[in-house]
Amino acid sequence: MDLIQGYHHSDDDDDAAASSPDSSPLRLSLPSKTSAPPVDETALALAAAGSTRSTSGPLDPTQHSVSFNPTYDQLWAPVQGPAPPSAGHTSSSIPQGFRNHKLGFVEDASIQPFLFDEQYNTFHRFGYATDPSGLHYVGDQTALSTNSALSVYNLPPHEQKRRRLEMKSKENDESAFDPEADNPATEDWLLKNRKSPWAGKKEVVQGELTEEQKKYAEEHAAKKAEKEGRAEGKEKTDLVVKSTFHGKEEKDYQGRSWIEPPKDAKASNDRCYIPKRCVHTWSGHTKGVSAIRFFPKHGHMLLSASMDTKIKIWDVFNSRKCMRTYMGHSKAVRDISFSNDGTKFLSAGYDKNIQYWDTETGKVISTFSTGKVPFVVKLNPDDDKQNILLAGMSDKKIVQWDINSGQITQEYDQHLGAVNTITFVDNNRRFVTSSDDKSLRVWEFGIPVVIKYISEPHMHSMPAISLHPNSNWLAAQSLDNQILIYSTKERFQLNKKKRFTGHIVAGYACQVNFSPDGRYVMSGDGEGKMWFWDWKSGKVNRTLKCHEQVCIGCEWHPLEQSKVATCSWDGTIKYWD
């Protein structure tokens, strides 16, 4: 302590010596300056007031730490809100039996939905609303006094006054007995019951028409009658089935029919070659050609179906003229199919009818319909089952008819979209169908149960399928611009090593086909071209510009194996060699 005191006295002596006038020069007192910016103390005062308020108010039950020492009243202040059903439990410890929510007990509101909507809409429109207690108003008091505390669902005062006066006058009218007022045919009854649905709808007698009105009425009646007459005439023509023969004679001097193949018709080559040039063009249709089929085994006739509702058969070997026109559909023809011997054929039209024709005479043997549009028709290829007809319909079904009896014998109903193709495989014991549902389904003939279902996320719709001549492979025209190959064995697997690409067919049901020896695959495309691929290598061998529009169909001649027929939406059929 003595040392500290001595140190203190020595410091005071040094200060006194430094401040004496003899030891230092005279110092002037200058105002102090600071470079720090001015500080607004308002925020500091508000923060201090807030901290004071937080120490005096109730505690928040959700906070985990307290920065001051709360009082007993603050710690045990009741939590605001509905009380739990059991007063002895807090919201976190309510027994399970008393809970109606995973966080505890939720109390029902004591206000009706209509009253809540009324006050909610009133507040958003006028700016004020009634307190739930019903004793006070909250919000804009000026608007409250201006609108006389009306809500959006209340009537304004002038409307209330008008209704009161109206009710009063109605009571006075009823008190005065008037016999005419009870008669509904009088004006007094209409005045008395003017709020009825028939008020003011008194019948008015039609006066005489002016000359201009009479002229207009006559013209309108004439147009209506003409329109109805056209509709009736169209219906009548729809029912007329006829056929026109364009050849010289239907039988030759030996009595042979015009559809019989020439006796010297035989295969010119054992090997197929890709055609190079167009040797003939048939142009008898007025609209696009949707399908073509060569006469079975010989190919001396070519059958064509068109959007102009007509089916034509053309001579291929001799005159190359149209031999017969079949007219039995009222709308465009979608598909055609020959029987095994070619003496009969099927046609499917957008008029929802399937016609079974006699090729020679042009008569319709039978007509089949389910009320839906048939997209594809096929006869069973077995010679002993040529009376079995299969049709893929727009209502997702494959319908099987017995042509002899005209009865539906089976329905195959598993697809989720319109059926596009029917292809028989495995010695005609099974058949494969494709649909707009982007799937392939394999059926056992006569049994409506799918034995193989092929559908992958990457698959597209396949509107055309053709069978390879060796019957071991299926070529499917996929709408993602490629031709996929499937095996026809038990597993019906996709051959990932074989696929044919390069053409553009997206959006078009272009037919795919094989050469008779199976060495080439061919297909039309959306640009009017014909593509030829090598079956083994998958490379493009040749591309021909066949038509100006979509090349929709292609058929390889069964005997003259270097010749191909193509059809297009431009209405022409071309023959290539």
Side-chain angles (χ1 to χ4, degrees), residues 16 108 123 173 222 301 310 334 373 417 419 459 466 491 503 506 558:
D108 292 334
F123 185 81
D173 292 342
M301 296 285 177
K310 297 178 182 178
R334 166 74 186 229
V373 178
V419 181
M459 285 177 61
S466 182
R491 303 184 66 182
H503 58 321

Side-chain angles (χ1 to χ4, degrees), residues 536-554:
K536 291 185 177 180
S537 64
K539 295 180 180 179
V540 178
N541 279 10
R542 186 170 298 164
T543 304
L544 297 176
K545 178 63 177 176
C546 298
H547 300 273
E548 295 299 325
Q549 297 185 27
V550 183
C551 183
I552 201 71
C554 57

Side-chain angles (χ1 to χ4, degrees), residues 391-543:
M393 314 301 288
S394 61
D395 63 347
K396 315 169 191 177
K397 295 180 181 179
I398 301 108
V399 184
Q400 179 177 315
W401 275 278
D402 185 346
I403 294 178
N404 297 335
S405 64
Q407 301 295 321
I408 296 177
T409 58
Q410 193 61 268
E411 282 189 358
Y412 307 85
D413 186 10
Q414 290 287 331
H415 275 293
L416 304 178
V419 181
N420 293 323
T421 64
I422 299 174
T423 309
F424 281 89
V425 297
D426 194 14
N427 295 325
N428 307 323
R429 292 179 299 179
R430 299 172 179 172
F431 61 93
V432 181
T433 59
S434 67
S435 168
D436 286 343
D437 60 7
K438 304 179 183 179
S439 70
L440 295 178
R441 296 174 197 253
V442 185
W443 312 78
E444 198 83 35
F445 179 74
I447 302 175
V449 179
V450 175
I451 62 173
K452 181 68 175 182
Y453 170 61
I454 305 171
S455 180
E456 298 292 340
H458 58 77
M459 285 177 61
H460 289 67
S461 180
M462 299 177 186
I465 292 180
S466 182
L467 182 67
H468 194 276
N470 65 12
S471 302
N472 293 331
W473 305 98
L474 285 175
Q477 184 80 267
S478 179
L479 289 186
D480 58 349
N481 300 326
Q482 59 180 344
I483 297 173
L484 303 178
I485 306 300
Y486 288 89
S487 170
T488 60
K489 299 300 181 183
E490 291 295 327
R491 303 184 66 182
F492 289 91
Q493 285 186 328
L494 172 66
N495 189 339
K496 298 181 180 180
K497 296 182 179 180
K498 278 189 184 295
R499 61 182 62 203
F500 305 93
T501 60
H503 58 321
I504 304 297
V505 292
Y508 303 105
C510 296
Q511 186 181 355
V512 59
N513 220 320
F514 288 97
S515 61
D517 61 358
R519 294 178 62 238
Y520 301 107
V521 180
M522 68 173 177
S523 169
D525 75 348
E527 299 174 349
K529 296 178 182 178
M530 177 62 62
W531 292 69
F532 296 89
W533 293 270
D534 183 73
W535 169 252
K536 291 185 177 180
S537 64
K539 295 180 180 179
V540 178
N541 279 10
R542 186 170 298 164
T543 304

Side-chain angles (χ1 to χ4, degrees), residues 194-214:
R194 58 184 177 275
K195 288 299 179 184
S196 69
W198 301 273
K201 294 184 180 179
K202 191 175 180 180
E203 294 184 3
V204 180
V205 179
Q206 180 67 42
E208 290 292 330
L209 295 176
T210 63
E211 293 296 330
E212 185 177 355
Q213 290 174 337
K214 289 181 180 179

